[in-house]
Amino acid sequence: VEDADNGKMLFVKTNSTLTFSTLTDGFSAAVVADTGVTVTFAGVTQEGATTSAFQVATVIAVNGNNILTIASAS
């Protein structure tokens, strides 16, 4: 994932690892996985965290850190 993906919703169709490297502060992207797909995140807080189908995750770059937030069902 790179700066060109800023502001985008990334829809992942196959099991994948998304690697977030050095991004411009203020970068943000959301990620949603298709049914039965697992997404693994690299280069973010919560290293190695995964999401499952239709769980929304966001990554925001702040002060050189890529912060991962995963929405959870209540």
Side-chain angles (χ1 to χ4, degrees), residues 42-65:
V44 297
T45 58
Q46 301 182 40
E47 189 72 30
T50 60
T51 61
S52 56
F54 301 111
Q55 191 174 39
V56 177
T58 56
V59 175
I60 300 171
V62 179
N63 295 326
N65 294 311

Side-chain angles (χ1 to χ4, degrees), residues 32-49:
V32 179
D34 202 354
T35 303
V37 171
T38 299
V39 180
T40 302
F41 295 84
V44 297
T45 58
Q46 301 182 40
E47 189 72 30

Side-chain angles (χ1 to χ4, degrees), residues 3 13-15 17 26 29 31 34 40-41 44 52 59 64 67 72 74:
D3 279 324
K13 295 182 178 185
T14 61
N15 291 343
T17 296
V31 179
D34 202 354
T40 302
F41 295 84
V44 297
S52 56
V59 175
I67 300 169
S72 60
S74 56

